[in-house]
Amino acid sequence: MNVLDAEFVKGFMRMADDGWKQGWHERNGGNLSYRIRPEEVESVREELCPGAWKPIGTSVPKLGGEYFLVTGSGKFMRNVTVKPADSFCIIELDQAGDNYRICWGLVNGGRPTSELPTHLMNHEVKFTATGGKHRVIYHAHPANTIALTFVLPLTDEAFTRELWEMATECPVVFPDGIGVVPWMVPGGRDIAVATSELMKKYDVAIWAHHGMFCSGEDFDLTFGLMHTVEKSAEILVKVRSMQDYKRQTITPDDFRHLAKDFGVKLPEKFLFEK
Ligand code: 2HA
Ligand code: ZN
């Protein structure tokens, strides 16, 4: 099958385009990766043409031999649907999880996203934590979430609680909470380690003054998670722009009632008295 006719590739392109349309991907901002199912790899096998092995920049032994769809470094999310073979690639990892090789795409040269170490380390952590269910890691630059990293304390507790309060669906959509990474140099192993540590506990990690990472089972759920967090951040920005206090809000006991009725567990560390 032609790579661009495969359903998993179409889903990847639609998600990239949806993010572009939300305004989350200025210039080459943001990146997307998907861990491809073995049967999906087989469906496009005849189109794959492996290049030379290159170092990942970190080690992901649990993902040895896996294939990924990944956007390209310096490529624009806007162009994923416009010139797909130029904008993203399929990579294969070696058995040790130290090196990758490009098997399809990036036809005009280039390499996978500069955030490849963070993507792959997040995939590895989620592979273990979800028994292989999570397949999508998504990074974007949504403005309201970034704006909040200038005014809220950079703690998991502050971000989780404030964003839960902004929409009743939030604690149901991300009941485990949100992690926050302080400002760090992007693109390397250190920020990858810090982010993947948080991904052991959460499906969302916010990078201060930069953006957000989300993990999920499929394209819809992962995009929907990013969308829900950013919508909630937008409401908080609007509330704070109107006045510097909330006249009323959802209380810790309200959250406990919600958790009971919706069958979710909300960690008590986020239900502190203010
Ligand atoms: O691809 O978003 O974090 C550009 C970035 C790096
Ligand atoms: Zn970024």
Side-chain angles (χ1 to χ4, degrees):
M1 190 194 309
N2 192 313
V3 168
L4 297 180
D5 291 334
E7 282 305 318
F8 71 99
V9 181
K10 288 189 202 164
F12 181 91
M13 293 196 291
R14 193 188 85 175
M15 179 161 167
D17 203 48
D18 286 346
W20 155 251
K21 286 175 182 150
Q22 289 294 327
W24 298 341
H25 298 291
E26 76 292 337
R27 205 174 177 277
N28 62 321
N31 24 75
L32 175 62
S33 65
Y34 169 71
R35 187 168 54 83
I36 309 174
R37 294 170 191 276
E39 62 271 25
E40 292 168 335
V41 175
E42 290 320 312
S43 73
V44 298
R45 175 73 71 187
E46 68 228 28
E47 300 271 302
L48 304 183
C49 178
W53 291 109
K54 307 226 167 88
I56 294 167
T58 188
S59 191
V60 284
K62 293 200 183 78
L63 299 179
E66 296 273 347
Y67 287 75
F68 294 84
L69 266 179
V70 220
T71 49
S73 178
K75 301 295 182 181
F76 290 23
M77 211 61 104
R78 200 255 173 284
N79 288 334
V80 164
T81 54
V82 180
K83 35 181 181 173
D86 174 73
S87 301
F88 61 91
C89 58
I90 294 176
I91 59 169
E92 177 191 3
L93 305 194
D94 67 3
Q95 289 303 325
D98 292 333
N99 300 288
Y100 73 86
R101 60 181 176 181
I102 297 175
C103 300
W104 180 92
L106 291 176
V107 290
N108 298 308
R111 52 190 169 84
T113 168
S114 59
E115 305 297 357
L116 190 65
T118 296
H119 277 261
L120 292 180
M121 290 190 84
N122 285 347
H123 276 293
E124 187 177 51
V125 158
K126 285 302 184 189
F127 183 81
T128 306
T130 71
K133 277 206 187 118
H134 278 210
R135 292 188 172 272
V136 182
I137 299 289
Y138 183 34
H139 171 55
H141 297 170
N144 293 287
T145 301
I146 297 169
L148 290 179
T149 66
F150 295 89
V151 298
L152 291 183
L154 295 176
T155 63
D156 305 358
E157 287 78 10
F159 270 79
T160 300
R161 178 63 177 278
E162 289 299 319
L163 293 175
W164 277 1
E165 282 184 37
M166 288 303 110
T168 298
E169 68 167 334
C170 285
V172 180
V173 175
F174 49 95
D176 299 332
I178 290 179
V180 182
V181 180
W183 189 87
M184 290 176 78
V185 176
R189 190 172 179 278
D190 291 351
I191 198 166
V193 170
T195 310
S196 61
E197 272 305 308
L198 293 174
M199 283 290 181
K200 288 179 182 166
K201 288 186 279 185
Y202 311 117
D203 293 340
V204 184
I206 291 172
W207 281 5
H209 323 323
H210 183 142
M212 186 174 6
F213 267 88
C214 288
S215 172
E217 291 183 26
D218 60 26
F219 297 122
D220 284 345
L221 287 169
T222 314
F223 186 86
L225 178 57
M226 176 88 63
H227 203 185
T228 305
V229 174
E230 171 59 5
K231 175 88 178 272
S232 183
E234 182 181 351
I235 298 169
L236 185 55
V237 168
K238 286 183 198 295
V239 169
R240 288 203 167 218
S241 307
M242 286 186 278
Q243 58 188 27
D244 63 4
Y245 68 96
K246 296 171 204 147
R247 189 182 179 108
Q248 54 271 323
T249 187
I250 306 171
T251 67
D253 275 342
D254 292 337
F255 284 122
R256 291 183 187 105
H257 285 145
L258 183 79
K260 201 158 157 264
D261 280 13
F262 278 75
V264 291
K265 271 210 190 78
L266 301 179
E268 277 292 321
K269 70 170 173 169
F270 299 129
L271 301 180
F272 47 88
E273 290 302 325
K274 290 197 224 176

